[in-house]
Amino acid sequence: MKSKREAPALKEGRYLLSGNEACAEGAITAGCRFFAGYPITPASEVMTQIVNRFPEVGGKFIQMEDEIGSMAALIGASWGGIKSMTATSGPGFSLMQENIGLAIITETPCVVVNVQRSGPSTGQATKVAQGDIIQSRWGTHGEHQSVVIAPYSVQSAFDLAVEAFNLSEMFRTPVIFLMDEAVSHTRETLVIRGGYQVYDRINNGETPPFGGKLVPDMPRFGEGKKLLITGSTHDSKGERKTSDSRAQNDLVKRLNDKIEKNREMLERYEEYRTEDADHIFVSFGISARSAREAVDRLRADGIKAGLITVISVWPFPDGIIADFSKRVKRIFVPELNLGQMRTQVERISRCDVIGINKVNSEPLYPSEIIEEFRRHK
Amino acid sequence: MKENPVFNYLRRESLPLKFCPGCGHGIILGAVARAIDELKLDMDKMVFVSGIGCAGWISSPNLNADTLHTTHGRAIPAATGVKTARPDLNVVVISGDGDLATIGGNHLIHAARRNIPMTVICANNSIYGMTGGQTSGTTPKGIKTVTDPQGNIYDGFDLAPLVKAAGAAYVARYTTFHVRELIRAVKTALKGNGFSFIEAVSQCPTHYGKSVGQQAAEMLTFFKEKSVTIKRAKEMSPDELAGKITIGEF
């Protein structure tokens, strides 16, 4: 079976879409044909876009009774051989955590969109925040890896949604698509040029379903394979091993290794005016958009500033940031929380790391970033 | 000697069953296997979904078909995902009362409301067995458990009428004493075109039996003596029906 193919993309052209709508279109381009969801602000437009477009592509949609059920349905559908997605925000994302763990241990590809809003709890449902960085890494219990992709624009919401599905299929793991309210509701031009590459899970039957190589081949229901799929610790055939210490060790280590040993492919970021930079901003999502504008304004004043936009929030792009920390004076981390990404930068940096933080449910403005920059420079 | 046809539907390497001596769940497994055998269904096109608890072990790993063993209470939404994505497959959920009717109760009534074609079999032993005998959503009032040492102060769910009221196309209740009726009900459910629910009242001698002072055989005798058909129940007063198990197709 060929694992790579040309995507049936949106027709080439220019579209005016929101981040939520672009994310749904990217998913459809990636081959997503199952969506289970539950209404929540500010993520609902992902679901309504899917509802409007699925009849044209033969997708199956179901509105579930809650987010727990949505996540469970994704796992069932994905083992049926169908690429699956859900979309939610903080409260729903919290409810999904247990079954995200089930998707991790059963190595079930699926994409979970989390449009971040202000929290904790109900917080301010219509307002922006970036407070789910650590939850997207450690929301579900137990030792595990997480793959988390953050778009920063309507264009990247589309492009990276395709990529999120590809990574999910390639590594047989759930991928969290971490948007924020501002990116999701911003309406801007999306340019479709075509030529998107789509990756499908490998189903050659060359390995048992849960072992034999770092990412085993993935069969599906209805093929006579008599699959044993379980959230309990299991061996390569899927047989439950509820107290075998070696089986537990082997499974946890392999699930870790399949991500950790592929960091090169998984660490994603974009550099902007970094070549000769003395000061680097490390940011993501809507805050990276403001930081980019701040870089341009600082450059106009003769200050050599640059930006690393983090795309793979997890695994965090340690390598590039550690390298820059050896040659820049300071790293600034603008984000809409009190330092969730900053602690990651600090973990790997040799230079001073300074947070630029805001938690009043408004985005960081470029002027605020510049003001904080000048205060510390 | 001719081999019991049930073995054709079991994953032999998973035998012997992991249930306690006298547990009713093996009877339910046997009834499901016999129903499939009598209908000559293609096991390659069946998916069995279960949750957590003793009854989560009835289909997984014992039935020799595709199995999906999920998180606690979430078998039905996972099965909903399978059936929605793959309508060509025959999807069956087998799980317990703690799983389907307590932590997962909301999924149960919504699945019944949607009437998506699938079979849900609730092995109802009216207690949490795996975790040591705590009160479940179907434990009757007055029954002593480790979390209600003075006796359960609340009523348990009357599951079959609950699921019927929620919109299920087919609902039946039998006990592990009524094996022939149970097989017949499973066959009707497996052939159905809507949401089919079977409440299979089961015995847990280890915990429930200990509480009420009954061993497995006594519990089966209790099921036999306390069961009344729906037809007979209609002629009985609520007082006469107290403590009885109404069986039949609802």
Side-chain angles (χ1 to χ4, degrees):
Chain A
M1 183 184 284
K2 266 179 74 176
S3 60
K4 266 190 182 175
R5 61 185 165 80
E6 201 74 14
L10 268 184
K11 273 193 274 183
E12 288 182 28
R14 295 164 70 83
Y15 300 84
L16 182 65
L17 292 179
S18 72
N20 277 340
E21 292 161 347
C23 161
E25 288 296 340
I28 289 167
T29 296
C32 173
R33 294 295 180 269
F34 180 86
F35 188 103
Y38 185 86
I40 191 166
T41 303
S44 292
E45 300 87 1
V46 179
M47 180 159 69
T48 47
Q49 183 75 7
I50 288 281
V51 167
N52 291 334
R53 288 275 282 129
F54 257 17
E56 297 168 30
V57 297
K60 305 278 178 60
F61 166 80
I62 186 162
Q63 184 175 324
M64 294 300 288
E65 53 274 14
D66 57 31
E67 291 88 346
I68 302 172
S70 302
M71 194 60 218
L74 251 58
I75 293 167
S78 189
W79 278 98
I82 313 291
K83 292 187 187 179
S84 306
M85 180 167 88
T86 188
T88 189
S89 184
F93 193 52
S94 293
L95 286 177
M96 288 177 182
Q97 294 303 328
E98 186 190 11
N99 282 333
I100 289 174
L102 180 62
I104 291 171
I105 199 171
T106 56
E107 301 181 71
T108 307
C110 54
V111 172
V112 178
V113 178
N114 175 23
V115 182
Q116 296 170 98
R117 70 187 216 191
S118 294
S121 191
T122 305
Q124 294 184 324
T126 62
K127 307 279 270 178
V128 70
Q130 296 177 312
D132 303 348
I133 302 298
I134 302 299
Q135 188 195 20
S136 69
R137 175 68 183 85
W138 290 113
T140 198
H141 61 277
E143 183 61 50
H144 65 275
Q145 287 284 343
S146 300
V147 178
V148 181
I149 301 292
Y152 56 85
S153 64
V154 168
Q155 185 72 47
S156 69
F158 181 94
D159 296 345
L160 292 172
V162 178
E163 215 38 40
F165 269 96
N166 285 349
L167 294 174
S168 173
E169 296 285 314
M170 211 174 284
F171 293 101
R172 272 187 66 182
T173 195
V175 170
I176 310 300
F177 199 63
L178 193 65
M179 304 224 278
D180 55 59
E181 184 278 334
V183 167
S184 83
H185 282 158
T186 296
R187 203 165 272 280
E188 54 189 353
T189 305
L190 169 68
V191 182
I192 301 293
R193 293 191 181 85
Y196 285 92
Q197 288 293 307
V198 166
Y199 189 92
D200 297 334
R201 64 195 72 172
I202 292 168
N203 181 9
N204 289 338
E206 285 170 6
T207 68
F210 302 100
K213 57 180 177 181
L214 274 185
V215 184
D217 291 1
M218 185 172 172
R220 62 177 190 161
F221 289 144
E223 296 178 327
K225 299 267 176 66
K226 319 286 189 193
L227 296 173
L228 282 167
I229 304 159
T230 175
S232 295
T233 297
H234 45 269
D235 66 12
S236 63
K237 289 179 285 183
E239 282 178 22
R240 247 176 278 183
K241 300 288 172 192
T242 54
S243 56
D244 180 333
S245 54
R246 188 168 159 184
Q248 172 69 15
N249 180 71
D250 290 353
L251 180 61
V252 171
K253 289 270 179 66
R254 184 175 60 75
L255 293 179
N256 182 74
D257 286 354
K258 77 175 178 182
I259 304 302
E260 201 54 42
K261 291 189 173 171
N262 285 297
R263 283 189 83 107
E264 213 167 299
M265 200 190 304
L266 286 159
E267 287 187 8
R268 308 273 176 113
Y269 53 86
E270 289 177 14
E271 290 180 58
Y272 181 67
R273 304 185 83 168
T274 54
E275 317 79 47
D276 59 343
D278 294 326
H279 309 275
I280 290 283
F281 292 100
V282 173
S283 193
F284 59 101
I286 194 64
S287 300
R289 293 291 286 277
S290 299
R292 185 184 167 108
E293 174 67 20
V295 165
D296 286 344
R297 291 189 199 171
L298 289 167
R299 285 266 173 184
D301 283 352
I303 295 165
K304 289 180 180 171
L307 167 68
I308 297 171
T309 300
V310 175
I311 304 295
S312 65
V313 173
W314 304 105
F316 195 67
D318 286 1
I320 181 76
I321 292 166
D323 283 351
F324 269 105
S325 76
K326 291 173 199 159
R327 56 186 166 99
V328 300
K329 290 178 184 160
R330 285 201 171 116
I331 295 178
F332 294 84
V333 187
E335 54 184 335
L336 301 177
N337 60 54
L338 295 178
Q340 295 190 22
M341 186 168 281
R342 188 191 73 231
T343 54
Q344 294 309 310
V345 179
E346 284 169 345
R347 175 173 59 79
I348 48 177
S349 292
R350 300 253 183 109
C351 65
D352 284 348
V353 178
I354 295 157
I356 301 177
N357 308 98
K358 196 170 176 183
V359 287
N360 70 347
S361 288
E362 285 175 20
L364 271 163
Y365 301 111
S367 58
E368 293 174 315
I369 293 174
I370 290 168
E371 196 179 315
E372 279 299 296
F373 174 86
R374 291 195 190 281
R375 223 160 59 81
H376 288 94
K377 186 171 139 323
Chain B
M1 197 175 83
K2 203 179 158 202
E3 193 182 66
N4 187 334
V6 164
F7 284 99
N8 294 331
Y9 302 92
L10 299 184
R11 214 180 285 263
R12 284 159 198 266
E13 60 271 24
S14 70
L15 299 174
L17 300 179
K18 310 289 188 289
F19 304 121
C20 299
C23 175
H25 290 357
I27 297 172
I28 297 169
L29 173 63
V32 172
R34 285 181 177 87
I36 295 167
D37 181 54
E38 289 180 23
L39 293 172
K40 300 293 174 218
L41 294 177
D42 181 0
M43 286 285 268
D44 287 353
K45 297 296 172 197
M46 299 193 76
V47 179
F48 293 89
V49 187
S50 59
I52 297 298
C54 301
W57 288 71
I58 294 174
S59 59
S60 168
N62 299 310
L63 282 169
N64 197 23
D66 287 336
T67 60
L68 176 58
H69 175 227
T70 66
T71 46
H72 195 21
R74 316 309 167 196
I76 289 177
T80 301
V82 177
K83 187 65 186 179
T84 307
R86 292 289 303 278
D88 57 312
L89 301 174
N90 195 339
V91 179
V92 182
V93 171
I94 310 174
S95 220
D97 49 297
D99 195 72
L100 294 173
T102 312
I103 190 170
N106 197 37
H107 304 305
L108 176 63
I109 55 174
H110 280 279
R113 170 180 68 83
R114 289 189 194 103
N115 212 12
I116 291 174
M118 67 169 77
T119 298
V120 175
I121 300 169
C122 180
N124 180 10
N125 57 15
S126 301
I127 203 153
Y128 285 87
M130 185 84 82
T131 47
Q134 297 84 1
T135 303
S136 89
T138 63
T139 305
K141 190 183 259 181
I143 296 295
K144 290 178 181 169
T145 70
V146 299
T147 46
D148 276 308
Q150 313 297 323
N152 182 17
I153 59 172
Y154 308 113
D155 280 317
F157 273 133
D158 191 3
L159 275 188
L162 171 74
V163 179
K164 184 73 183 174
Y170 176 75
V171 174
R173 173 162 57 202
Y174 292 104
T175 79
T176 45
F177 177 80
H178 304 88
V179 176
R180 284 175 200 283
E181 291 88 341
L182 191 57
I183 295 170
R184 199 179 60 218
V186 174
K187 284 169 67 179
T188 306
L190 290 174
K191 287 186 296 184
N193 293 319
F195 185 83
S196 299
F197 179 75
I198 296 170
E199 181 184 346
V201 178
S202 185
Q203 75 275 18
C204 172
T206 304
H207 296 293
Y208 197 94
K210 191 172 139 198
S211 167
V212 298
Q214 290 178 341
Q215 300 202 352
E218 293 167 308
M219 295 180 86
L220 285 170
T221 307
F222 178 87
F223 290 163
K224 177 190 172 190
E225 288 170 354
K226 295 292 177 184
S227 292
V228 293
T229 61
I230 292 174
K231 198 177 161 195
R232 241 187 82 201
K234 278 181 184 154
E235 294 155 5
M236 293 166 72
S237 70
D239 281 352
E240 288 171 317
L241 274 173
K244 298 286 194 297
I245 305 165
T246 308
I247 58 167
E249 294 173 316
F250 285 74

